[in-house]
Amino acid sequence: MSKRKSAKYKLDRRMGENIWGRPKSSVNRRSYGPGQHGQRRKSKISDFGLQLRAKQKLKGYYGDVTEKQFKATYQEAARMKGDTGQNLIGLLEQRLDMVVYRAKFAPTIFAARQIVSHGHIRVNGVKCNIASRRIKLGDVISLGNKAKEMALIAEAQALPEREVPDYVAQDGTDKVTFVRVPTLDEVPYPVKMEPNLVVEFYSR
């Protein structure tokens, strides 16, 4: 598992958006970028700059996955039939750490990844500690016995700013089933994501 190199809220500041919709985000207080030059007037961003920003925002939202992992996911999406941008979103939503986050088993995507890596998650009843594992339709994701008592998970389930989406069917408070791959419109992003610009970035 790769370590997250920068504080998660720095990404919010860099993008100028509260990309996870969290009340504690510093963007809620300061909408300008980080650093001593953060308040300078923003210059017009080039097409390449917009594409890069869209990629960094999407990559960051999914827990700042490594460039190698993200590019491999894009390449797989490009080989699939249909719209590459939609395919990319579908593949990212099928990551185990993201399904754990969507199920409200963790307050943040970073916490979801940690819960998985520490062996607290079961896939179809079997322990799995690989955060990037691809979840299939019908897979059942559940909490291990120790996890059911964790304060972190109780905190996540009480969060008012997030709901469990329809494509993750709940069975009580400790089990969900991944019932379908969502489209871009179904994914509950707090901010606008532009996978079409990510496709343009990698298609250059």
Side-chain angles (χ1 to χ4, degrees):
M1 185 182 76
S2 65
K3 288 187 178 178
R4 176 166 43 94
K5 292 186 176 67
S6 59
K8 55 183 175 287
Y9 295 128
K10 273 189 182 174
L11 184 63
D12 279 0
R13 294 279 304 283
R14 197 160 69 236
M15 296 295 152
E17 295 179 89
N18 183 355
I19 66 171
W20 294 285
R22 293 279 284 161
K24 292 179 182 176
S25 175
S26 55
V27 171
N28 297 340
R29 300 185 299 275
R30 297 184 294 272
S31 59
Y32 50 85
Q36 65 183 39
H37 304 301
Q39 295 189 66
R40 284 184 176 173
R41 188 189 309 167
K42 292 174 182 171
S43 55
K44 191 174 185 296
I45 304 175
S46 65
D47 286 348
F48 172 76
L50 288 171
Q51 293 161 4
L52 177 63
R53 179 188 173 92
K55 186 199 77 157
Q56 299 293 70
K57 185 164 69 167
L58 191 64
K59 190 159 78 85
Y61 179 84
Y62 285 94
D64 226 3
V65 294
T66 64
E67 177 60 26
K68 183 179 178 181
Q69 274 191 342
F70 193 77
K71 188 172 183 180
T73 305
Y74 163 76
Q75 289 169 337
E76 184 175 351
R79 289 192 297 268
M80 294 166 65
K81 290 181 180 178
D83 182 84
T84 301
Q86 293 277 9
N87 293 341
L88 176 61
I89 295 301
L91 291 173
L92 289 167
E93 286 292 314
Q94 286 175 266
R95 286 176 58 98
L96 176 57
D97 54 0
M98 182 48 64
V99 177
V100 168
Y101 176 65
R102 291 284 180 233
K104 291 183 78 171
F105 292 164
T108 68
I109 180 58
F110 303 103
R113 187 171 299 164
Q114 188 175 45
I115 287 168
V116 173
S117 67
H118 288 181
H120 292 303
I121 296 297
R122 307 284 182 269
V123 179
N124 300 325
V126 180
K127 182 164 76 172
C128 179
N129 60 3
I130 302 168
S132 60
R133 174 173 171 169
R134 180 80 42 79
I135 295 303
K136 301 185 183 76
L137 298 186
D139 278 352
V140 176
I141 316 305
S142 58
L143 295 170
N145 289 330
K146 283 185 180 177
K148 293 173 187 177
E149 310 299 323
M150 290 170 64
L152 183 77
I153 290 168
E155 174 203 338
Q157 292 176 334
L159 287 174
E161 67 263 22
R162 281 198 295 127
E163 297 293 333
V164 178
D166 290 344
Y167 51 91
V168 178
Q170 290 178 288
D171 181 3
T173 59
D174 60 358
K175 188 186 297 183
V176 298
T177 302
F178 190 75
V179 294
R180 71 174 183 280
V181 179
T183 61
L184 174 62
D185 292 341
E186 290 179 295
V187 179
Y189 295 121
V191 295
K192 185 181 180 184
M193 293 294 178
E194 298 169 295
N196 58 307
L197 293 181
V198 179
V199 174
E200 288 175 17
F201 176 86
Y202 283 120
S203 301
R204 286 175 301 115

